[in-house]
Amino acid sequence: MSPIIYTHTDEAPLLATYSFLPIIRAYAAAAGVEVETRDISLAGRIIALFPERLREDQRLPNALAELGELAKTPDANIIKLPNVSASMPQLKAAIAELQSKGYDLPDYPDNPADESEAEIKARYDKVKGSAVNPVLREGNSDRRAPESVKNYARQHPHSMGAWNSDSKTNVATMDADDFRHNEKSVVVEADDELRIELAPSDGGEVVVLKASMPVLAGEVVDGTVMRAESLQRFLSEQITRAKEAGVLFSVHLKATMMKVSDPIIFGHVVRAFFPATFAQYGDALAAAGLSPNNGLGGILAGLDALPNGAAIKASFKQELADGPALAMVDSDRGITNLHVPSDVIVDASMPAMIRIGGHMWGPDGKEADTLAVIPDSSYAGVYQAVIDDCRAHGAYDPATMGSVPNVGLMAQAAEEYGSHDKTFEIGQAGTVRVVNRAGDVLLEHAVQPGDIWRACQTKDVPIRDWVKLAVTRARASGDPAIFWLDESRAHDRNLMAKVETYLSDPELVGDTTGLDITIASPIEATKVSVERIRQGKNTISVTGNVLRDYNTDLFPILEVGTSAKMLSVVPLINGGGLFETGAGGSAPKHVQQLVKENYLRWDSLGEFLALAESFAKYAEVTGNASAKVLSETLDRATGTFLNENKSPGRRLGTIDNRGSHFYLALFWAEELAGQTADPALAARFAPLAATLREQEATINAELLAVQGSAVDLGGYYRPDDALTSAVMRPSTTLNAAIEALAR
């Protein structure tokens, strides 16, 4: 059995690792369990791209590729913390930071001038967007709120904004010419190799967009296109609509996960909001490399270098004043919804808006009703259904509401996560075709310049495993399960046929008699689920990859206040385990607060939950009984942690992430010292439990004393180890106690 791999990632989860990992390693070592780390941070992945340019002491191995191979084996036991899914501004910022630290890395070439620059761009594109998850997720997702978390939410309900029946908040989405309406899908009958090509309308030479796309028998292959002309018209209409209705204008995309298509769509939104500015100055901005795809913030930051920068800035300011009020990311700093594509991510921003009564923050620093623009209609109706329900019945009550756990299809880069290398902004009119080895055209779309065409793949083995996992969860929980599939979508129709076949296969799923398993469109499934949660009932959502991403934020944020408190287990297809630890959507703000006032609000509950499952898996595979004791005692300690309300507070003078780690260590040590299943382990932890309890006041005083002043981490994407460790481990008393256990 390989050791437990604890991933080294980014932002607030990384900072928390500096505090929590020494505790994990000390406790694990006492039970004979080895814990190692692998660096899959954005900076680490960038460094691994260019070994030939770096000094030997700077080089890093390709840890992500290593873990990707490990995830395909029965030995895998990986704890995966949230990582940066880099937008272009984030990627460039990380490159610049590493360059400033002496790493001889090339700049990102937006428009490669030769083969060498094209090769550099191709390397960097491998770490852009959601590059980590598709590699590690060799299994499907089982994500739910543990009972201890739900009980805590019931006993200590989080705040929910009031909904008014006359709320003007709504979702705006396209009713034609988007990805959903143009989707085509086929099931490949045999192993093959496909090619994606563009046949120009003028009869010119066929352009190969992707030369090789291997597929397996039974695989579902899709192609679709968003029409640029229709998108532009739709966006202009929504800007007018928001202005006339007197509501905030906002756009909600996934410019990280959908790292090619959604930044392009984001750029269209920026252009649509400032039509006069781009009509007059668009060429000058393009010549200066200031792309709307990277957001308004990047453009404004670059204007001072332009001879007519002041005039362009004035034009932007005038159109901001003339248009509808923009939703804000940070009204105090003037950061709008259009500043950075990765600032407003749909799966985090929409639930947050719903939770506070259908409001976002306006330029005046006040909450207001909002028009939430989600151009592609594939899943926009889910959010509209929840908004309609809240408008009719008011906010949900965390003290009484049920739960919507999720079984998500994501293994082997299923569905849209696999679309990055198969998404293209079309340069000329023609027909995009997907052709097999024999030359047969499987899919085709007529396209115009600027259209966004994309394909995705879903292998049959993950679909079978997904159906099996859904039945397993329905059987174990006794809750009804709904496959969220829309028969009006070509892809979903093919999945529905497979689901119905596999549900009737007793060798795969066993006897399903008495289980409540149905199929419904996402909108209808949402309506059923929210009706049931108001009754305190649970409903398992069985979804594809993107809806998995959306639902595992939407419902947890409403149910328990944050998706970071969810248990996320990925039973890997070949027998190993991947244990994910919550969400990183608010991580940047937490880092900013730590740097400003030495206070980290990040909640590590997700790490606690994942670690307990990881120890249980380790015990199951190795027979290490002490590892099982670690799991069981950590689970009980986490319950105490919640009951004692030791999660990070919200203001200076209360415990933060570091204080929560201390209390988890204390409760865990006491559980270990008090258990009888492993007397040797109990004896090992008894002195630590006593020390931590006796020194509780001293440790708290040391942790609280550092709050209130600015700190230097030596970097954002690549913080300095010594500086960050000192910041995140300020209690000498706690450090000494943990180190004594490790000796």
Side-chain angles (χ1 to χ4, degrees):
M1 178 71 182
S2 68
I4 291 174
I5 306 296
Y6 199 87
T7 52
H8 176 106
T9 59
D10 305 282
E11 297 181 325
L14 172 60
L15 299 179
T17 296
Y18 279 95
S19 170
F20 189 39
L21 186 59
I23 296 170
I24 296 173
R25 280 181 159 153
Y27 282 52
V33 178
E34 186 178 2
V35 178
E36 297 181 358
T37 60
R38 294 292 186 276
D39 187 346
I40 60 170
S41 66
L42 175 59
R45 288 181 280 126
I46 290 172
I47 292 169
L49 291 173
F50 297 96
E52 76 281 2
R53 299 179 63 117
L54 305 179
R55 301 191 312 264
E56 187 173 350
D57 64 306
Q58 293 178 321
R59 295 173 187 162
L60 289 175
N62 191 333
L64 178 59
E66 176 194 345
L67 292 187
E69 291 304 310
L70 177 63
K72 298 174 184 177
T73 72
D75 287 342
N77 191 325
I78 303 168
I79 298 176
K80 195 285 188 173
L81 277 70
N83 63 282
V84 165
S85 293
S87 64
M88 186 57 71
Q90 289 172 308
L91 176 60
K92 290 184 175 180
I95 294 169
E97 180 179 311
L98 290 169
Q99 290 171 335
S100 73
K101 290 176 176 289
Y103 289 86
D104 180 24
L105 296 168
D107 291 336
Y108 182 93
D110 291 295
N111 300 296
D114 52 35
E115 289 186 9
S116 174
E117 289 193 352
E119 196 268 339
I120 290 170
K121 182 178 184 296
R123 288 200 206 185
Y124 276 133
D125 285 347
K126 291 179 181 178
V127 301
K128 190 172 67 175
S130 185
V132 170
N133 291 336
V135 175
L136 297 185
R137 288 171 168 170
E138 284 290 322
N140 292 309
S141 172
D142 174 8
R143 195 168 170 94
R144 58 192 185 275
E147 193 61 28
S148 58
V149 172
K150 281 294 288 183
N151 287 338
Y152 178 80
R154 292 183 183 111
Q155 296 165 14
H156 308 276
H158 51 272
S159 62
M160 298 285 279
W163 272 84
N164 295 320
S165 59
D166 59 354
S167 169
K168 297 179 181 179
T169 291
N170 282 294
V171 172
T173 193
M174 297 176 71
D175 58 12
D177 287 338
D178 61 343
F179 292 130
R180 175 177 177 270
H181 289 91
N182 290 326
E183 188 174 67
K184 297 180 180 180
S185 179
V186 296
V187 178
V188 179
E189 294 182 0
D191 294 3
D192 206 337
E193 184 176 23
L194 310 183
R195 180 179 71 256
I196 304 174
E197 61 187 27
L198 170 62
S201 298
D202 62 9
E205 186 176 347
V206 170
V207 178
V208 176
L209 300 176
K210 187 173 182 62
S212 177
M213 182 173 150
V215 292
L216 302 176
E219 189 161 345
V220 180
V221 177
D222 310 319
T224 188
V225 61
M226 179 174 280
R227 310 283 182 199
E229 183 178 351
S230 297
L231 173 63
Q232 292 162 356
R233 183 169 55 252
F234 163 78
L235 293 171
S236 296
E237 290 170 353
Q238 303 319 309
I239 292 166
T240 301
R241 174 184 173 185
K243 176 79 172 179
E244 292 176 348
V247 297
L248 300 178
F249 176 90
S250 64
V251 65
H252 303 261
L253 296 164
K254 188 74 171 180
T256 50
M257 183 172 101
M258 305 306 297
K259 64 183 180 182
V260 178
S261 61
D262 282 25
I264 296 171
I265 297 171
F266 189 86
H268 279 286
V269 181
V270 175
R271 287 189 189 93
F273 204 89
F274 303 100
T277 302
F278 278 94
Q280 184 172 359
Y281 301 110
D283 291 343
L285 293 173
L290 300 177
S291 170
N293 294 16
N294 295 334
L296 179 62
I299 294 176
L300 295 177
L303 291 181
D304 290 341
L306 301 186
N308 55 350
I312 300 175
K313 188 174 292 186
S315 182
F316 276 118
K317 184 176 180 181
Q318 185 61 52
E319 290 203 88
L320 273 173
D322 292 343
L326 266 179
M328 305 296 286
V329 170
D330 189 332
S331 56
D332 292 340
R333 296 167 55 214
I335 307 300
T336 73
N337 175 269
L338 300 183
H339 261 63
V340 183
S342 57
D343 269 355
V344 184
I345 302 299
V346 59
D347 51 320
S349 59
M350 287 300 298
M353 183 186 78
I354 293 168
R355 179 181 162 180
I356 64 171
H359 296 157
M360 293 186 74
W361 298 95
D364 59 359
K366 298 179 181 179
E367 294 179 25
D369 289 346
T370 305
L371 182 64
V373 177
I374 305 175
D376 180 42
S377 63
S378 294
Y379 306 115
V382 168
Y383 296 114
Q384 184 67 56
V386 177
I387 289 169
D388 289 342
D389 181 74
C390 289
R391 186 161 31 226
H393 304 292
Y396 302 106
D397 183 356
T400 60
M401 69 188 293
S403 187
V404 184
N406 180 262
V407 174
L409 173 61
M410 66 179 191
Q412 301 177 357
E415 294 190 339
E416 286 90 341
Y417 265 117
S419 71
H420 310 322
D421 61 343
K422 297 178 285 291
T423 300
F424 309 95
E425 187 172 26
I426 303 302
Q428 59 182 313
T431 301
V432 175
R433 303 185 298 222
V434 178
V435 183
N436 66 11
R437 192 183 286 123
D440 302 321
V441 176
L442 305 185
L443 302 167
E444 64 180 355
H445 291 89
V447 292
Q448 295 295 321
D451 288 352
I452 307 166
W453 188 96
R454 73 184 187 195
C456 70
Q457 302 169 251
T458 313
K459 294 177 174 58
D460 187 61
V461 168
I463 297 171
R464 289 175 57 89
D465 182 76
W466 175 56
V467 173
K468 180 180 179 181
L469 182 59
V471 173
T472 299
R473 289 303 311 150
R475 184 178 290 120
S477 65
D479 295 324
I482 303 176
F483 282 84
W484 293 39
L485 296 170
D486 183 352
E487 65 179 356
S488 69
R489 279 188 63 179
H491 168 84
D492 283 13
R493 285 196 297 274
N494 281 329
L495 254 66
M496 289 169 70
K498 286 178 174 287
V499 167
E500 289 167 351
T501 297
Y502 297 146
L503 282 175
S504 62
D505 182 356
E507 292 188 10
L508 178 68
V509 301
D511 184 3
T512 59
T513 303
L515 300 182
D516 186 353
I517 301 175
T518 56
I519 299 174
S521 73
I523 292 175
E524 292 307 313
T526 301
K527 292 177 180 178
V528 171
S529 299
V530 296
E531 180 182 359
R532 286 176 56 83
I533 60 176
R534 288 191 183 277
Q535 300 168 3
K537 298 177 181 178
N538 306 333
T539 312
I540 302 169
S541 65
V542 189
T543 71
N545 206 349
V546 172
L547 262 179
R548 172 204 58 79
D549 209 46
Y550 293 2
N551 281 8
T552 56
D553 276 310
L554 172 60
F555 293 106
I557 287 172
L558 299 177
E559 292 172 27
V560 299
T562 171
S563 57
K565 294 184 177 182
M566 301 297 283
L567 175 62
S568 182
V569 177
V570 182
L572 300 175
I573 290 174
N574 289 330
L578 176 69
F579 308 96
E580 299 184 312
T581 67
S586 58
K589 292 183 179 180
H590 292 329
V591 180
Q592 292 162 12
Q593 184 178 14
L594 177 77
V595 170
K596 182 179 180 181
E597 53 190 23
N598 203 353
Y599 189 88
L600 184 64
R601 273 186 58 189
W602 176 258
D603 189 341
S604 287
L605 180 63
E607 287 99 288
F608 305 161
L609 299 171
L611 185 61
E613 292 291 324
S614 175
F615 281 134
K617 181 69 174 180
Y618 189 94
E620 173 192 327
V621 173
T622 65
N624 182 329
S626 296
K628 184 178 181 182
V629 172
L630 284 180
S631 172
E632 293 171 345
T633 53
L634 175 55
D635 188 53
R636 294 197 293 271
T638 301
T640 303
F641 173 90
L642 288 169
N643 291 334
E644 295 286 332
N645 197 22
K646 297 303 182 183
S647 296
R650 291 182 172 270
R651 63 185 185 279
L652 291 178
T654 61
I655 66 167
D656 72 348
N657 177 262
R658 296 163 289 191
S660 70
H661 291 161
F662 158 61
Y663 277 106
L664 190 280
L666 167 61
F667 300 146
W668 194 6
E670 290 181 334
E671 288 288 348
L672 283 160
Q675 54 82 29
T676 58
D678 191 331
L681 210 56
R684 181 83 180 268
F685 279 90
L688 176 63
T691 297
L692 295 181
R693 181 59 73 180
E694 291 165 3
Q695 297 297 322
E696 178 181 2
T698 299
I699 292 170
N700 265 325
E702 292 173 346
L703 293 173
L704 295 173
V706 300
Q707 295 182 10
S709 57
V711 298
D712 179 14
L713 301 176
Y716 185 90
Y717 293 99
R718 194 72 177 171
D720 179 87
D721 278 341
L723 290 175
T724 309
S725 182
V727 168
M728 293 306 301
R729 302 189 71 202
S731 171
T732 56
T733 305
L734 175 59
N735 297 345
I738 297 301
E739 287 156 13
L741 174 68
R743 287 197 292 270

